[in-house]
Amino acid sequence: MAASPRRTSAVVNIGGVKVGGSNPIVVQSMTNTDTADSAATVNQIIELAGAGSELVRVTVNTEEAAQAVPRIVDTLRDFGVNVPIIGDFHYNGHILLKKYPGCARALAKYRINPGNVNIGRKQDDNFRIMIEAAIEYDRPVRIGVNWGSLDSVLLTRMMDENSHSPDPLDAMEVTMRAIVESAIRSAENAEHYGLAHDKIILSAKCSSVQDLVHVYEMLATRCDYPLHLGLTEAGLGSKGIVATTAAMSLLLQQGIGDTIRASLTPLPNGDRTEEVIVCQQILQALNLRSFTPQVAACPGCGRTTSTFFQDMADQIQTYLREQMPVWRESYPGVEEMRVAVMGCVVNGPGESKHANIGISLPGTFEKPVAPVYIDGKLSTTLRGDHIVAEFREILDNYVARRYGATESVAEPAFVA
């Protein structure tokens, strides 16, 4: 079963990355360093870009952060890292963008939260000034509504109108509708001030999976702006990964979403690149994009009391991801390769035959041999203490032969 056709949307260019329309769904991430600490921020952006983040957002919350942005972008370019950098503004963005034109020029996009500027009041000068900066420097804007910082004036007005309705909705439904209304009205105001239609991206984030799906389903019917998806706070560990996967999969399957981010809470000193990998895996699992060869591995049971197949699956998966920066340039299409590392004879041979290349390791009480299958056919049988190294060599040869321009060493002949 394929996902529904992508929702029709305008196309927005963010520093050379095209978002919306028929363009691939884009993976975003955000630093959690102090942006004023240029070295730490540059290092983390390099890590995120290296993991595959195609857009990286940084907090611009102080004068020191705004002053650091041009230095950060210049340093990244010196290192050959050209990922577009997005500025995240709250409360004082109108001041920083006006006072520090170098920051405004260095950023590829501005993110504005309408709940944290004075839009909706009698004077919305703060919002207008930010939009005028986007127009002056020819930058797109993401208008990002969060339910934790929703425009209180709009929400109060909609709640009051609802209370006088003959058939009032519950408070949560009014809140969901206010989130959508805030995004739409803010975009209309931005266009009123002169920002082009194809310079606007919208997001409308909640922390609850079902609420998020409901909001985006409503938003998708109200506009043709590209939509950025993500739970506003997904949470820690498996909870955050599962919630993010559930929410985004339900929307992406409907063709809703043009950029995505997994807003995972990292452990102290945790690896920030995890949020990039989660997004990639969601898109790859839905067959919407391919980023790295996928490894199928059985969960293990009483037939696989040895942990060898688990260790091997982990080693091979890590190896594939480490090789991708080189393979991506030399072997087009390798990201779609399927690899199987199985633990016993029950599903091992069959799963290996379904993969491009697979190995079926011996389970408990099985003969200590490991047949290797290539493109559905038995190629060789490995045994002994060097199975991982030998399989990796076969894997390298297969990649060079299948995805490279020239033939490599032939595969080993079958050994009984």
Side-chain angles (χ1 to χ4, degrees):
M1 177 181 175
S4 298
R6 285 275 293 283
R7 160 185 167 272
T8 301
S9 75
V11 176
V12 177
N13 191 323
I14 306 172
V17 175
K18 292 183 178 180
V19 172
S22 60
N23 292 292
I25 296 165
V26 173
V27 173
Q28 291 198 37
S29 61
M30 184 175 183
T31 60
N32 61 356
T33 57
D34 178 359
T35 306
D37 185 343
S38 301
T41 303
V42 165
N43 287 336
Q44 190 170 86
I45 292 171
I46 290 174
E47 291 174 358
L48 291 167
S53 183
E54 294 156 308
L55 299 170
V56 178
R57 183 159 45 114
V58 300
T59 296
V60 187
N61 58 334
T62 64
E63 295 197 13
E64 292 76 15
Q67 290 172 310
V69 166
R71 186 163 60 250
I72 289 167
V73 173
D74 288 343
T75 304
L76 289 169
R77 303 304 176 250
D78 290 342
F79 279 109
V81 178
N82 295 308
V83 62
I85 304 302
I86 300 163
D88 192 63
F89 295 97
H90 297 271
Y91 307 111
N92 61 351
H94 59 295
I95 297 172
L96 298 177
L97 286 171
K98 193 169 184 178
K99 186 173 181 179
Y100 298 100
C103 172
R105 279 191 294 267
L107 294 169
K109 185 180 77 170
Y110 312 149
R111 185 283 176 114
I112 304 174
N113 182 342
N116 290 337
V117 293
N118 58 357
I119 191 168
R121 282 74 172 175
K122 283 188 175 182
Q123 300 294 329
D124 60 357
D125 288 345
N126 297 358
F127 181 80
R128 176 181 54 78
I129 290 168
M130 297 179 77
I131 296 301
E132 288 174 349
I135 296 168
E136 179 179 356
Y137 298 105
D138 193 28
R139 296 294 185 263
V141 167
R142 171 160 71 91
I143 297 173
V145 181
N146 284 351
W147 73 343
S149 51
L150 185 56
D151 180 353
S152 59
V153 173
L154 174 64
L155 179 60
T156 299
R157 183 164 63 246
M158 291 183 66
M159 285 289 188
D160 186 58
E161 291 170 355
N162 181 65
S163 67
H164 292 91
S165 170
D167 188 19
L169 304 169
D170 65 63
M172 184 54 71
E173 177 62 24
V174 177
T175 300
M176 299 299 102
R177 295 188 181 195
I179 292 172
V180 173
E181 199 64 31
S182 177
I184 296 295
R185 292 188 184 187
S186 298
E188 290 173 347
N189 284 340
E191 290 200 54
H192 172 73
Y193 291 129
L195 189 63
H197 188 81
D198 65 356
K199 293 289 186 181
I200 299 172
I201 296 173
L202 297 185
S203 66
K205 293 186 177 183
C206 312
S207 294
S208 162
V209 170
Q210 295 292 3
D211 289 336
L212 187 85
V213 171
H214 182 41
V215 164
Y216 274 93
E217 287 174 343
M218 288 192 289
L219 186 59
T221 66
R222 294 279 305 275
C223 68
D224 71 343
Y225 300 110
L227 300 181
H228 169 69
L229 302 186
L231 292 166
T232 186
E233 288 99 14
L236 282 161
S238 59
K239 184 269 179 187
I241 294 172
V242 170
T244 296
T245 303
M248 289 210 258
S249 296
L250 289 168
L251 290 166
L252 292 168
Q253 191 71 9
Q254 297 182 64
I256 298 171
D258 301 287
T259 77
I260 64 172
R261 182 196 170 203
S263 299
L264 305 178
T265 304
L267 294 172
N269 301 314
D271 188 351
R272 191 66 166 181
T273 63
E274 182 183 22
E275 65 178 48
V276 178
I277 295 170
V278 167
C279 286
Q280 291 176 333
Q281 289 296 328
I282 291 170
L283 293 175
Q284 193 143 355
L286 294 172
N287 292 327
L288 294 173
R289 288 189 68 182
S290 294
F291 297 93
T292 188
Q294 298 294 285
V295 177
C298 64
C301 66
R303 288 177 172 270
T304 56
T305 52
S306 168
T307 60
F308 181 75
F309 84 96
Q310 298 166 324
D311 292 334
M312 182 172 180
D314 181 56
Q315 290 181 55
I316 295 300
Q317 185 165 276
T318 300
Y319 177 72
L320 292 172
R321 183 165 288 279
E322 289 174 346
Q323 291 299 109
M324 275 310 295
V326 176
W327 282 359
R328 189 179 293 113
E329 301 299 323
S330 303
Y331 303 120
V334 70
E335 64 275 5
E336 298 179 1
M337 182 174 66
R338 290 170 292 115
V339 180
V341 179
M342 304 300 291
C344 80
V345 74
V346 173
N347 289 325
E351 193 74 41
S352 297
K353 290 176 185 177
H354 288 306
N356 295 107
I357 179 169
I359 185 169
S360 180
L361 297 166
T364 308
F365 304 124
E366 292 179 21
K367 188 177 179 180
V369 295
V372 175
Y373 297 84
I374 295 177
D375 292 331
K377 297 180 180 180
L378 180 64
S379 172
T380 188
T381 299
L382 304 180
R383 64 191 58 176
D385 298 328
H386 305 290
I387 287 178
V388 175
E390 291 172 1
F391 181 72
R392 197 165 72 179
E393 182 178 355
I394 294 171
L395 180 61
D396 286 339
N397 285 335
Y398 178 81
V399 168
R401 177 175 60 82
R402 173 73 182 271
Y403 302 100
T406 59
E407 292 189 3
S408 64
V409 180
E411 304 294 347
F414 169 71
V415 178

